[in-house]
Amino acid sequence: MKTEVPGLDVAGLTDWLAAAHPELADGPLTATLITGGKSNLTYAVDGARIPLIVRRPPLGHVLSSAHDMRREHRVVAALQDTAVPVPTAIDVVDDTESGRLSGTVLFVMERAPGVVLAHPAQNEGYPQQALRALSLGLAEHLADLHAVDPAAVGLADFGRPDGYVARQLATWRRQLDASRSRETPALDALQEALQSDPPVSSGSAIVHGDFRLDNALVDGEPSAPRISAILDWEMATLGDPLVDLGMLGLYWNIAGLPGGFQGVVPSAVDETAGYASFDDLVDAYVRRSGRDVPALGWYRAFAAYKLAVIVEGIHYRYLAGETVGEGFEGIERLVDPLARHGLEMC
């Protein structure tokens, strides 16, 4: 399929929007691939009556159960009227048979206002107290998510909370096996360490699966920034909410890990600029949620394992020539330090 932008036929999208959502159609569309992502492809689409976002799975090798656009659409639509800020969902399009748009499943949503804070330079202009408040607000949004009753928003069957941790370990082990192109001894050791001492579940909630600052849009005046939308819900499910806290902890401090993470894995978090510490985030989460939060070592180790497997999958696609954009060369060097960090957390 020859397209104007990689992975999306914009002319086909224009025709689809006119037929499926004529109230939004307003002539030919244009699309721009939003750079920075190394997983799903995200496009800013203009020319409709409102600005749109279209998301699709990555090109080529796609890991089973990952990059699920139907899942993302369902959870975002379900959360529209809750305290959790999400974009307005418009539609999910299965184009796997016709191939007129992308040859895959697309998720279409309204473009929420704001910017993604992903680099330290973006902190300029924000007072320290504003970034601290933004940090704590992110933790409070996570508590709000975990407070949502799945049944009340139509997500009672969105996952199987019982045995969630064991299934997660099995799932990511399969993902790693599907992406193997080299030996990864430290990652294999982390995998075994996690399996040898899994935690007792802390309960059940809607779990985002990849909760971090750069999966949120920040809007408002620099003196009072707010989170306008939480993004990237394709790994959401029902499960142990502490998995989200573990992931947030990994990304909150990822710029300080050895191995050259800064500049490869986005992070604007810098306590000297005003961001709260991760311990402060946990305290804010506890105050908002009322949950007891035990030691998070296993959950933080699991977060490192999960990200390492994702990076290994990206490396696999890069070797096969199935990635779009820049920043993939040498990404495999992040896997070993992530695995070693996880082993330290265990």
Side-chain angles (χ1 to χ4, degrees):
M1 176 178 61
K2 186 177 181 180
T3 61
E4 297 91 335
V5 293
L8 182 66
D9 189 315
V10 181
L13 183 68
T14 299
D15 293 342
W16 170 83
L17 188 69
H21 294 278
E23 74 282 4
L24 298 180
D26 195 30
L29 302 177
T30 60
T32 303
L33 180 66
I34 298 176
T35 59
K38 292 181 172 60
S39 181
N40 292 315
L41 302 185
T42 304
Y43 308 86
V45 176
D46 294 295
R49 294 186 183 276
I50 57 173
L52 301 175
I53 290 289
V54 172
R55 280 167 59 78
R56 59 150 290 165
L59 304 179
H61 174 73
V62 177
L63 298 175
S64 173
S65 81
H67 318 295
D68 192 337
M69 297 296 96
R70 290 185 184 87
R71 192 169 199 82
E72 183 167 16
H73 172 265
R74 183 181 176 191
V75 68
V76 169
L79 292 173
Q80 301 281 264
D81 296 322
T82 70
V84 183
V86 291
T88 300
I90 293 176
D91 210 340
V92 62
V93 190
D94 188 342
D95 189 50
T96 52
E97 291 188 6
S98 73
R100 292 178 298 173
L101 310 180
S102 66
T104 185
V105 179
L106 300 177
F107 173 32
V108 184
M109 58 184 149
E110 185 173 346
R111 196 186 313 164
V115 297
V116 173
L117 296 183
H119 303 285
Q122 293 176 281
N123 297 327
E124 295 181 10
Y126 290 100
Q128 288 193 336
Q129 65 270 24
L131 290 178
R132 177 174 175 81
L134 183 70
S135 307
L136 302 180
L138 183 67
E140 290 168 352
H141 284 313
L142 183 59
D144 290 342
L145 170 65
H146 294 162
V148 173
D149 177 1
V153 295
L155 295 178
D157 62 344
F158 196 57
R160 293 177 294 149
D162 292 342
Y164 169 76
V165 165
R167 285 198 311 277
Q168 279 287 293
L169 285 171
T171 294
W172 288 98
R173 184 167 196 151
R174 288 195 302 272
Q175 309 289 41
L176 177 57
D177 289 342
S179 301
R180 287 192 183 275
S181 61
R182 60 189 181 129
E183 297 295 322
T184 55
L187 186 53
D188 293 341
L190 176 56
Q191 182 174 264
E192 296 307 317
L194 290 167
Q195 289 179 322
S196 69
D197 190 26
V200 176
S201 176
S202 67
S204 174
I206 300 171
V207 174
H208 180 279
D210 198 20
F211 195 87
R212 59 188 202 257
L213 177 62
D214 60 293
N215 271 343
L217 287 173
V218 177
D219 195 31
E221 294 297 321
S223 60
R226 65 180 184 87
I227 294 170
S228 61
I230 306 295
L231 309 174
D232 294 2
W233 292 85
E234 70 272 12
M235 289 193 284
T237 189
L238 303 185
D240 187 336
L242 296 187
V243 167
D244 274 342
L245 266 181
M247 185 61 72
L248 179 58
L250 172 68
Y251 277 101
W252 204 253
N253 297 316
I254 201 164
L257 294 185
F261 281 82
Q262 188 63 47
V264 179
V265 179
S267 180
V269 177
D270 178 358
E271 290 184 32
T272 65
Y275 288 95
S277 69
F278 179 63
D279 287 344
D280 288 341
L281 265 62
V282 173
D283 289 343
Y285 175 89
V286 169
R287 287 193 299 271
R288 184 81 154 207
S289 67
R291 292 178 180 270
D292 291 328
V293 174
L296 293 170
W298 188 94
Y299 294 96
R300 297 182 73 172
F302 175 70
Y305 172 70
K306 182 176 170 180
L307 180 57
V309 174
I310 290 171
V311 171
E312 193 66 16
I314 293 170
H315 174 60
Y316 186 100
R317 293 199 302 275
Y318 172 73
L319 291 178
E322 295 172 345
T323 50
V324 174
E326 300 178 351
F328 300 101
E329 185 175 359
I331 197 171
E332 75 282 358
R333 72 177 186 272
L334 303 183
V335 172
D336 188 71
L338 273 172
R340 294 185 184 280
H341 173 70
L343 288 168
E344 292 173 1
M345 291 288 105
C346 285

